[in-house]
Amino acid sequence: MFRLSVVVMAAALLGACTTWDLERLQETEPTGTPFTQALAKEYQTFAEFEAYQMKDWIDQEYFAKKGLRAAAGEVVAPEELSGWDLPEGKIDELAEARGRLIGALNQGGRRNHPEDAAHAQAKFDCWVEQQEENHQPEDIEECQREFEAALAKLVELVEEPEPQPAAAPEPAPEPVTYMVFFDFDSAALNDGAMAVVGLVEDRLPDYEDGFISIVGHTDTAGSAAYNSELSMRRAEAVREALTTMGVAPGQMSVDARGESDPMIATGDGVRSPQNRRVAITVK
């Protein structure tokens, strides 16, 4: 009924050849969604064609009004066939085409592919308008051909699988520290110590650009100077074992703290198995 009322109004003004609404549309900056903005531009192009080339003042005014509604952010629908005086033999074909178009628009066409969706809708309306006039076969065929091509592209786009968000990267593993313990006044790695060193070597690949920090310690028995030297020998023994297992020297750092950083606080001169250690941190 909206289309018919516009036709009646436009017919009354036919002698004046008005393009008021088209001029308003040309001066309007479309608003709303990307789809309504693209649709306003499509209807402007269609109305300009009807006005300047076809001299069809009635239909240019009708589609200019439709463009203004789109420019205001309204999601105007493809033409309802009941509003047009169409040849009986073409109604079913146009209804089937409109159904396919509505399906593609509702399947994310408007939201995800606004320009392609707007183009397909405008070309459908072009086909309907030309089919009602039914006296220019070339123009009817051109609108139908352009609509089918535009719809085929839109259908292909909306049927493509939605890109899946990239999987969140696995969080980097937290640094882990292993302890190797030594006999009194010794820097030799016993079987238990070698087993722990093997665990360190196995764990290193879990870390991208993994790095190993090796820190030697002693208990408080003996002088501070001697203990500093002993803790370094212990750290070096661990580094040498890891190097033999294939760990690159550049992936390791060595430090010696002597008796200055005990695990268990004791007085001076105390033999403490817990403090005779090397801390190996993988990070």
Side-chain angles (χ1 to χ4, degrees):
M1 296 302 295
F2 177 80
R3 144 82 183 169
L4 294 176
S5 63
V6 170
V7 169
V8 171
M9 294 169 56
L13 297 171
L14 182 58
C17 301
T18 62
T19 58
W20 297 332
D21 286 321
L22 176 55
E23 291 169 4
R24 284 177 55 209
L25 179 56
Q26 290 168 331
E27 295 170 358
T28 298
E29 186 66 32
T31 60
T33 66
F35 172 71
T36 61
Q37 295 177 44
L39 195 58
K41 294 298 184 183
E42 288 285 346
Y43 282 129
Q44 177 181 326
T45 298
F46 186 22
E48 288 170 346
F49 172 77
E50 290 295 312
Y52 306 144
Q53 296 189 43
M54 305 302 289
K55 309 302 180 185
D56 185 342
W57 309 109
I58 294 176
D59 284 328
Q60 68 83 21
E61 190 73 1
Y62 175 72
F63 287 107
K65 288 181 181 295
K66 198 169 182 180
L68 284 169
R69 290 163 58 202
E74 180 182 344
V75 181
V76 294
E79 282 303 303
E80 294 282 356
L81 303 185
S82 59
W84 295 79
D85 185 15
L86 297 165
E88 189 68 28
K90 289 292 184 178
I91 292 177
D92 288 346
E93 182 182 7
L94 283 161
E96 187 276 336
R98 188 177 189 276
R100 288 187 285 126
L101 173 60
I102 292 294
L105 293 175
N106 291 343
Q107 197 178 335
R110 296 185 185 93
R111 180 182 64 254
N112 300 326
H113 311 285
E115 293 183 358
D116 293 291
H119 186 59
Q121 177 169 326
K123 290 305 176 184
F124 175 78
D125 286 7
C126 174
W127 180 14
V128 171
E129 187 269 341
Q130 289 294 325
Q131 192 68 74
E132 182 191 63
E133 293 178 352
N134 205 32
H135 61 78
Q136 296 170 305
E138 297 84 0
D139 291 333
I140 296 172
E141 291 176 5
E142 180 67 14
C143 285
Q144 182 178 0
R145 183 168 57 251
E146 290 182 350
F147 162 72
E148 292 291 357
L151 181 60
K153 180 181 179 182
L154 181 61
V155 167
E156 182 178 353
L157 288 171
V158 298
E159 289 182 349
E160 288 180 354
E162 289 292 327
Q164 296 300 311
E170 290 289 332
E174 293 292 325
V176 60
T177 298
Y178 298 84
M179 292 292 181
V180 173
F181 294 95
F182 294 80
D183 293 332
F184 176 70
D185 197 23
S186 172
L189 295 169
N190 57 31
D191 290 343
M194 287 300 298
V196 173
V197 172
L199 292 175
V200 174
E201 189 265 341
D202 290 341
R203 186 66 183 269
L204 185 60
D206 293 343
Y207 295 78
E208 184 177 0
D209 301 323
F211 192 81
I212 299 174
S213 170
I214 304 168
V215 181
H217 302 268
T218 70
D219 58 25
T220 59
S223 70
Y226 178 79
N227 285 336
S228 177
E229 182 269 334
L230 177 59
S231 65
M232 178 57 76
R233 286 194 287 120
R234 288 172 173 168
E236 291 286 1
V238 170
R239 176 167 66 175
E240 183 178 346
L242 285 167
T243 302
T244 301
M245 292 177 179
V247 179
Q251 289 183 277
M252 296 180 284
S253 68
V254 174
D255 190 16
R257 307 238 178 120
E259 61 183 58
S260 65
D261 187 17
M263 180 185 296
I264 303 297
T266 68
D268 191 31
V270 176
R271 298 185 180 187
S272 170
Q274 294 96 328
N275 291 335
R276 299 195 296 265
R277 73 199 190 277
V278 167
I280 312 169
T281 301
V282 186
K283 55 188 175 180

